[in-house]
Amino acid sequence: MDAVLEIDLPNRCAVVQPGLINLWLTTAVSDRGYFFAPDPSSQMVSSIGGNVSTNAGGPHCLKYGVTTNHVLGLEMVTGAGELVRIGGKAAERPGYDLTGTVVGSEGTFGLVTAITVRLLHTPEAVKTALATFASMTEASEAVSEIIASGIVPAALEMLDAAIISAINASIGKIYPDAADAVLLIELDGPRAEVEAQAERVATICRRHGAVSVTVAADEMERALLWKGRKEAAGAVGRLTSSYLLQDAVVPRSKLPQIMREMKAIAARHRVVIANVFHAGDGNLHPLICYDDRSAEELERAKQANEELLGACIALGGSVTGEHGVGLDKAKNLPLQYGEADLNFMFRLRRVFDPAGLMNPDKLLPSHPACGEGFRPKRPVLPAGAWI
Amino acid sequence: MAVSAASVAGVFAERLGPERLVVDPGALSAAAIDGHTPRWLVRPASIDHVAAVLAVAWDENLAVVPRGAGTALGLGPPPSRVDVLLDLTALDHVLEDNPDDLTVSVEAGITAGGLAERLAGRRQWLPVDPPGWRRRTLGGMTATNAAGPLRARYGTLRDLVLGVRFVQADGVVTWGGARVVKSVTGYDIPKLMVGALGTLGVVCELTLRLHPMPDAEQTWLATFTSVEAAQAFVARVVDSSLQPTRLELLNEAALRVCHAPSAPFGVAVAIGSAHPAVREQGERLAALGSSEGVRIAAVGDNVWTHYDTALAPAEGEVVLRIGSLPSRLADTVKVIERALPAAERAALITGCAALGTLRVAITGADPDTVRRLVEDLRALTGEFGGAVVIESAPTAVRTGLDPWGPVEPATLNLMRAIKQEFDSRGVLNPGRFVGGL
């Protein structure tokens, strides 16, 4: 089920089947000046149905929003076997926003069989800059100030020293080796707006101690700056045989703090933590490296991972930013939600899938609040008031 | 166990304080909704108060109607019953303000104007502007997913609500979403609550995503003799590199109340960005206009002030929300013009041309005319899956025809099942939502 069913440019939308590869949709409309905004790093291989299931993000969702902001309607078969059409091309449809409720439900509500998505007009100008810093803290402070200054870059990505050297070793020396942190900043929009913002971004980076600020002169240079970021996950093979990948989120003003805490956590558990992540929206992707031949090392990596997640939540963050809950993080949901919140989700799931057929162990934890018969606490009313 | 009215009042007074309970018959009948006089009017000052009221209502099978500023009480059919009117305007505090993260958490009874004042000093905003937005509450705007011209760039509250704390029908306080701008942890409960008209829970707290305010904004007005020409021009703008903050269609009557140059139709294009970028895009818009033979002139920002004032909800008017398509705007406007007799041509037609949404406001229309108009519009929009919702109208109009319009049976069944799961006793806003939910 990988067909493009309809392209409707006058109404800036398309209808696709769930198996369509993300990038293929943009390829199908780019010659007419349009694109599909959600761009997970996996966009060459991930399907739009999968993107809907996890509410996928990507480097450019900082400006354009995640998958749910670009899905207008769905056709699906619920866990109860009902074929339903929800949402659609036109706005203002009456009733509950079932489209928004289903996006990100990780296949636990049913199977999506067709998706109506929004298409955007390709921006006129794109400018990509690379700033290097002597410390992660300085780079994090620059990110905070860029956001607070009112600029919304299309993408704002950070790479740390471990990732930089892995990338340089793997695909050639494209980032300065001496840098402790690299910020990849992309601005897009009308040309004059991009020019004005690029100057401000460069000033902010320098004020926070940037060692160098380079702006890509043409499309080839831009592709080269992105090449390292896009292939970072593969390059990690140079660093370690195995890693745990974390996807937690912190409020973006807390980046400097979480970077300091991460350093301490890595030292405490004697593991290397490499960082390549979406700094602009505070979505971390620490890679916790371990040697898979050592059970003891895996154990330490796991502990560091859980501790790191806890630190992010303590700062007001979220358990997962874009990768989803799945099997692994279901147990972490109680960090972010109380019993009543989990119970509400459990009951919602049961409406769509009464028999529990769809992805049974995913998303929700095995927790009393996610079981039959559980009743969350209600307010206690004064005794005797009834008489 | 049914108890007497006096003891319900006693519990409310004990839990909320006697000053938060209104039982005076005069005040209660003044608060009637579509002829239903509430038996109690309560003004909770905390989410725990709301929880206590709902716990009593659940146990006693009382119908609860939440109310903010009261500007959207004409949305949906009249309620089937009203026992408790829950006035949320005392829940008007900013709970947590994070300027560096561009997020804010507020109580739902705060007005959009109140929040705007709070944000004014730092060039950040919640860019949601349904007419009369300053006095509307954010809870009410969330429950109705109300939007205005700025949706062309920023979307609606659906795209801006990050987290919600609400009270379920039985009094259980529940949280959904996150306090950060990006999160996929668990189901997206905020989406379920936005636009649900309080029928699944009473939203008491909201965590919102803010946007930076553009350095400058300038508006241009393009005028046309036909709506087809206006639609074609909008298509050219949308298909260009211009990035308007607002792209609003206005008919002659709407142009008049906005104190804008007179013409059969106008398209107001607002560009918000850095100063040089506003200038440059303005030049480009002018060039686009001259190549198409379209008259374009800069207008003052007060066009939006007039828009906001003149289109703000008013007693007795009929307002329709139409989900059309950018490619069907002209067809939709023609159906409206055909259905309205000349005497009622003063209808104000506006809408976000970029998205194909329209708003029609008619004063003094007779119910038969409105019914014919809605039926004709539904016949047209039915061709492409659009919608026509009566956003507000006198009670008589809303009892004679379904204000929400049809929803496909299988989809409605799913909505009904959700309502049944979370409010099986029909405590929250009974009868006011789609399909009589």
Side-chain angles (χ1 to χ4, degrees), chain B residues 12 26 121 123 130 148 178 191 215 243 250 261 286 365 405 415:
Chain B
F12 288 163
R123 305 221 42 89
K191 295 277 187 301
D215 294 347
Q243 289 193 344
L250 302 102
M415 293 181 188

Side-chain angles (χ1 to χ4, degrees), chain A residues 34 93 193 253 318 347 380, chain B residues 15 101 183 239 273 385 421:
Chain A
Y34 287 84
R93 293 162 70 102
E193 181 176 297
S253 63
S318 176
R347 290 165 69 192
V380 181
Chain B
R15 292 304 300 263
D101 292 317
S183 172
D239 198 31
S273 185
E421 177 65 40

Side-chain angles (χ1 to χ4, degrees), chain A residues 11-12 34 69 85 92-93 96-97 108 121 124 193 252-253 283 318 320 322 337 341 347 350 378 380, chain B residues 15 101 151 158-159 170-171 175 177 182-185 187 199 239 273 284 326-327 354 385 411 421:
Chain A
N11 296 311
R12 287 184 296 163
Y34 287 84
N69 305 106
R85 274 183 290 268
E92 306 289 18
R93 293 162 70 102
Y96 300 127
D97 179 4
T108 62
H121 198 273
E124 179 190 22
E193 181 176 297
R252 36 211 172 174
S253 63
N283 188 186
S318 176
T320 165
E322 58 180 12
Y337 299 116
D341 318 336
R347 290 165 69 192
R350 203 175 48 182
R378 301 175 62 210
V380 181
Chain B
R15 292 304 300 263
D101 292 317
R151 73 185 293 175
R158 175 193 198 269
D159 304 292
D170 61 358
W175 162 260
K182 193 174 177 189
S183 172
V184 295
T185 312
Y187 298 125
T199 57
D239 198 31
S273 185
R284 236 185 270 187
S327 65
T411 313
E421 177 65 40

Side-chain angles (χ1 to χ4, degrees), chain A residues 73-366:
Chain A
L74 299 170
E75 178 194 81
M76 73 180 292
V77 180
T78 66
E82 292 289 331
L83 176 68
V84 291
R85 274 183 290 268
I86 55 185
K89 287 183 189 178
E92 306 289 18
R93 293 162 70 102
Y96 300 127
D97 179 4
L98 298 180
T99 307
T101 307
V102 170
V103 174
S105 60
E106 301 189 8
T108 62
F109 287 166
L111 295 169
V112 169
T113 50
I115 305 154
T116 305
V117 297
R118 191 192 303 284
L119 298 173
L120 296 185
H121 198 273
T122 313
E124 179 190 22
V126 182
K127 215 171 181 94
T128 306
L130 185 113
T132 59
F133 293 84
S135 79
M136 286 293 274
T137 309
E138 285 172 341
S140 305
E141 284 165 1
V143 169
S144 287
E145 195 183 329
I146 290 170
I147 297 298
S149 77
I151 297 169
V152 184
L156 188 45
E157 302 282 301
M158 196 175 340
L159 297 80
D160 73 0
I163 288 288
I164 294 167
S165 61
I167 289 170
N168 286 348
S170 159
I171 57 175
K173 190 168 151 47
I174 51 177
Y175 300 138
D177 262 330
D180 207 46
V182 159
L183 265 190
L184 192 57
I185 307 147
E186 187 152 288
L187 299 157
D188 72 12
R191 197 172 307 283
E193 181 176 297
V194 169
E195 296 291 340
Q197 291 186 341
E199 263 176 50
R200 272 158 75 181
V201 165
T203 309
I204 291 171
C205 287
R206 290 200 186 93
R207 186 155 63 232
H208 286 279
V211 181
S212 69
V213 182
T214 321
V215 179
D218 53 30
E219 188 51 36
M220 234 176 68
E221 283 187 30
R222 174 176 173 251
L224 193 63
L225 293 184
W226 271 106
K227 189 176 162 64
R229 168 64 184 93
K230 296 243 174 191
E231 294 181 17
V236 174
R238 298 267 170 176
L239 273 182
T240 178
S241 59
S242 304
Y243 59 84
L244 302 175
L245 174 57
Q246 181 54 264
D247 172 47
V249 184
V250 291
R252 36 211 172 174
S253 63
K254 300 284 196 285
L255 276 178
Q257 191 173 338
I258 194 69
M259 285 301 145
R260 282 194 297 272
E261 287 188 34
M262 198 185 300
K263 222 170 185 172
I265 290 169
R268 198 153 54 241
H269 294 283
R270 292 174 287 121
V271 288
V272 172
I273 303 183
N275 275 287
V276 45
F277 64 100
H278 312 307
D281 39 29
N283 188 186
L284 307 176
H285 287 332
L287 301 125
I288 301 162
C289 305
Y290 68 94
D291 183 339
D292 58 6
R293 290 163 301 188
S294 159
E296 186 268 343
E297 206 170 314
L298 171 61
E299 204 42 51
R300 277 190 278 124
K302 281 183 175 172
Q303 280 174 17
N305 188 32
E306 293 299 318
E307 215 169 288
L308 186 54
L309 185 60
C312 292
I313 301 296
L315 290 172
S318 176
V319 164
T320 165
E322 58 180 12
H323 295 176
V325 176
L327 297 171
D328 182 47
K329 282 194 164 179
K331 64 178 186 302
N332 299 127
L333 256 66
L335 290 174
Q336 196 169 332
Y337 299 116
E339 290 184 342
D341 318 336
L342 291 171
N343 183 251
F344 190 89
M345 292 189 199
F346 165 75
R347 290 165 69 192
L348 182 63
R349 176 180 193 150
R350 203 175 48 182
V351 172
F352 283 87
D353 179 25
L357 304 175
M358 304 304 304
N359 270 346
D361 296 317
K362 290 201 174 175
L363 200 135
L364 287 176
S366 48

